[in-house]
């Protein structure tokens, strides 16, 4: 599994039960660290100025100002760059649109399952890795994939988990040229059938390409590599 950078998180919600739960859930995701919890908008802005969190998990209903106002103020040019993921019980299209307009990367509806939050944070970590300073995209498809991964919440088929997907992709990235499903299964510690299922899924997403390789003893092998 690849190492995550230290991603600092500010949780903004006036319900102590929710903030305690979120802190626990975030703490279980590798590479994420909660640096502050704010029960209202002004405290959130003060905490953001003090701790410069990389990510804010933001409720929209706060006692002193709306979460949308907080999101708007966080985008002030004098403040450190901060990303926002909204976690709210509101489902109106106008509210979701307003959150997007104010820069929210994603919108989660309460009550949020732990697995949903974990997968969202993992996608966010992937996004940060792809957007490191100095990186260059070779194809439009790479940028399209980046937007889809964060904003459209790519649905995984039954039996496909984020953790194993990342492990398979990481193992394939580390091979010198390409690998078969059998070789990859041994590297990751899964069955050949499982490795094959993940490889086909990743190929369908355009992250992996595969084809027969001739010149080896026996029948031609179907081998894969990262695109």
């Amino acid at each position: 599994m690849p190492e995550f950078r230290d991603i600092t998180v500010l949780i903004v919600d006036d319900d102590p039960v929710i903030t305690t739960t979120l802190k626990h859930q975030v703490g279980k995701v590798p590479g994420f660290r909660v640096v502050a919890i704010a029960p209202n908008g002004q405290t959130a802005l003060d905490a953001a100025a003090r701790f410069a969190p990389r990510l804010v998990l933001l409720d929209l209903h706060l006692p002193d100002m709306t979460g949308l106002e907080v999101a708007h103020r966080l985008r002030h040019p004098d403040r450190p760059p901060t990303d926002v993921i909204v976690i709210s019980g509101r489902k109106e299209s106008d509210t979701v649109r307003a959150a997007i307009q104010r820069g929210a990367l994603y919108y989660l509806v309460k009550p949020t399952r732990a697995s949903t939050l974990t997968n969202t944070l993992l996608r966010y970590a992937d996004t940060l890795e792809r957007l490191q300073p100095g990186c260059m995209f070779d194809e439009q498809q790479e940028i399209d994939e980046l937007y889809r991964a964060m904003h459209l919440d790519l649905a995984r088929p039954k039996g496909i988990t984020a953790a194993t997907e990342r492990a398979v992709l990481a193992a394939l990235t580390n091979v010198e040229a390409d690998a078969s499903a059998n070789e990859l299964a041994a590297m990751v510690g899964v069955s050949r059938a499982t490795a094959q299922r993940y490889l086909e899924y990743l190929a369908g997403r355009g992250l992996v390409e595969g084809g027969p390789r001739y010149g080896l003893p026996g029948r031609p092998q179907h081998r894969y590599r990262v695109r």
Side-chain angles (χ1 to χ4, degrees):
M1 295 286 288
E3 293 291 334
F4 289 130
R5 295 181 296 171
D6 184 41
I7 301 175
T8 52
V9 179
L10 166 63
I11 298 174
V12 184
D13 198 299
D14 64 342
D15 187 331
V17 174
I18 291 177
T19 56
T20 299
T21 301
L22 286 176
K23 182 179 180 180
H24 175 71
Q25 292 173 349
V26 172
K28 295 175 67 175
V29 182
F32 287 82
R33 177 168 57 92
V34 176
V35 293
I37 294 174
N40 57 61
Q42 188 56 56
T43 304
L45 295 172
D46 293 342
R50 177 181 178 186
F51 297 102
R54 193 66 187 85
L55 176 66
V56 176
L57 301 181
L58 178 65
D59 185 24
L60 296 184
H61 183 71
L62 301 171
D64 57 343
M65 66 180 76
T66 67
L68 294 175
E69 178 63 22
V70 174
H72 175 70
R73 295 192 190 183
L74 287 173
R75 293 175 62 83
H76 193 279
D78 292 338
R79 289 185 172 273
T82 299
D83 294 321
V84 172
I85 293 176
V86 168
I87 303 181
S88 173
R90 300 185 61 176
K91 304 176 184 179
E92 306 91 343
S93 60
D94 289 348
T95 303
V96 176
R97 183 172 63 249
I100 294 172
Q101 290 171 340
R102 285 162 177 78
L105 286 180
Y106 203 62
Y107 195 110
L108 297 174
V109 176
K110 293 179 180 180
T112 304
R113 291 184 178 180
S115 59
T116 301
L117 177 62
T118 297
N119 287 335
T120 300
L121 294 179
L122 290 175
R123 289 198 312 276
Y124 174 71
D126 284 337
T127 302
L128 288 189
E129 289 299 319
R130 300 186 198 186
L131 291 176
Q132 291 186 56
C135 290
M136 181 72 70
F137 296 104
D138 295 325
E139 302 288 344
Q140 176 69 44
Q141 181 179 354
E142 296 177 82
I143 299 175
D144 293 344
E145 171 63 23
L146 183 70
Y147 271 82
R148 285 197 299 268
M150 191 66 232
H151 291 280
L152 297 188
D153 189 15
L154 292 174
R156 292 182 174 89
K158 185 177 181 180
I160 299 291
T161 68
T164 304
E165 176 189 341
R166 290 178 59 84
V168 169
L169 195 55
L172 195 58
T173 301
N174 290 329
V175 301
E176 292 186 4
D178 51 28
S180 67
N182 271 329
E183 294 166 347
L184 201 62
M187 287 186 279
V188 178
V190 297
S191 68
R192 182 197 178 282
T194 296
Q196 185 69 50
R197 183 168 68 251
Y198 277 84
L199 287 167
E200 292 174 356
Y201 169 69
L202 291 168
R205 288 181 54 190
L207 300 177
V208 165
E209 59 185 1
R213 181 175 173 186
Y214 300 92
L216 299 175
R219 298 171 56 187
Q221 289 187 0
H222 204 79
R223 301 182 68 82
Y224 298 85
R225 65 179 180 180
V226 174
R227 295 195 62 173

